[in-house]
């Protein structure tokens, strides 16, 4: 065991979407007891695959074990969140770290990797949204340099979300 985290692009042909879906479900399901129910806590493999294809998906591996994932996106013509359509903005979705591996810096590594990828794409701002009631996540994002900039409500969601953004220049 070398305990080195390796971040690489998701391989749609070779990576196990069952394993990836399980990781995402478990990472988001841990918020259910506090009353925050994310769609990702119950998404199926088809949804995972579709959401990964919405952008550029990275996976983190630790000793050949899938440890985390994040998908970097730019606005599409039918983008439902106006903030994400602003010039220079990239955003991320499906950001998850295996619950038993949280607190080891894997999420921070994935986030820094996505920030660098967004810069490479010519983007100068990185955004995300999370449930208004997900207080621990909101604190974590603020500690990563993100600021709360707006609110939104996804059509398929039952909760209000906070949009966070961070300048990359």
């Amino acid at each position: 065991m070398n305990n080195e985290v390796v971040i690489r692009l998701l391989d749609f042909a070779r990576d196990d979407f069952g394993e990836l879906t399980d990781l995402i479900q478990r990472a988001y399901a841990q918020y259910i007891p506090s009353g925050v129910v994310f769609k990702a806590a119950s998404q199926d493999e088809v949804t995972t695959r579709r959401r990964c294809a919405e952008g550029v998906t990275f996976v983190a591996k630790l000793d050949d074990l899938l440890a985390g994932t994040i998908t970097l996106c730019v606005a599409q013509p039918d983008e439902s969140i106006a903030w994400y359509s602003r010039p220079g903005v990239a955003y991320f979705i499906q950001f998850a770290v295996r619950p038993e591996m949280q607190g080891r810096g894997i999420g921070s590594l994935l986030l820094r990797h996505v920030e660098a990828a967004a810069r490479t794409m010519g983007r100068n701002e990185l955004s995300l949204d999370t449930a208004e009631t997900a207080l621990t996540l909101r604190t974590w994002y603020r500690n990563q340099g993100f600021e709360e900039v707006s609110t939104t409500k996804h059509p398929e969601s039952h909760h209000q979300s906070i949009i966070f953004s961070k300048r990359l220049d």
Side-chain angles (χ1 to χ4, degrees), residues 60-166:
K61 301 281 261 189
L62 177 62
D63 297 325
D64 293 323
L65 185 63
L66 181 62
T69 187
I70 192 168
T71 300
L72 178 64
C73 303
V74 294
Q76 301 301 311
D78 62 347
E79 182 59 55
S80 64
I81 298 176
W83 187 272
Y84 295 163
S85 297
R86 293 165 37 111
V89 173
Y91 64 98
F92 60 87
I93 59 173
Q94 290 199 134
F95 183 25
V97 174
R98 185 181 292 271
E100 63 272 20
M101 294 184 170
Q102 292 177 2
R104 297 184 188 184
I106 296 167
S108 295
L109 286 172
L110 280 164
L111 190 54
R112 285 196 300 274
H113 192 83
V114 162
E115 288 174 3
R119 282 187 199 97
T120 300
M121 294 167 56
R123 303 297 166 146
N124 60 10
E125 189 171 345
L126 184 63
S127 298
L128 69 120
D129 63 271
T130 194
E132 182 177 51
T133 55
L135 301 179
T136 56
L137 289 175
R138 289 173 62 185
T139 298
W140 191 83
Y141 287 121
R142 281 193 299 271
N143 289 340
Q144 301 302 312
F146 287 86
E147 295 179 17
E148 297 182 14
V149 294
S150 189
T151 60
T152 192
K153 184 166 183 323
H154 295 277
E156 70 281 358
S157 175
H158 298 292
H159 60 261
Q160 184 81 3
S161 290
I162 303 293
I163 298 173
F164 283 82
S165 205
K166 179 180 184 177

Side-chain angles (χ1 to χ4, degrees), residues 12 17 39 45-55 94:
F12 277 81
F17 277 87
K39 178 177 64 173
E45 285 184 43
V46 171
T47 301
T48 300
R49 185 178 288 275
R50 178 185 52 76
R51 294 192 80 207
C52 287
E54 290 176 15
Q94 290 199 134

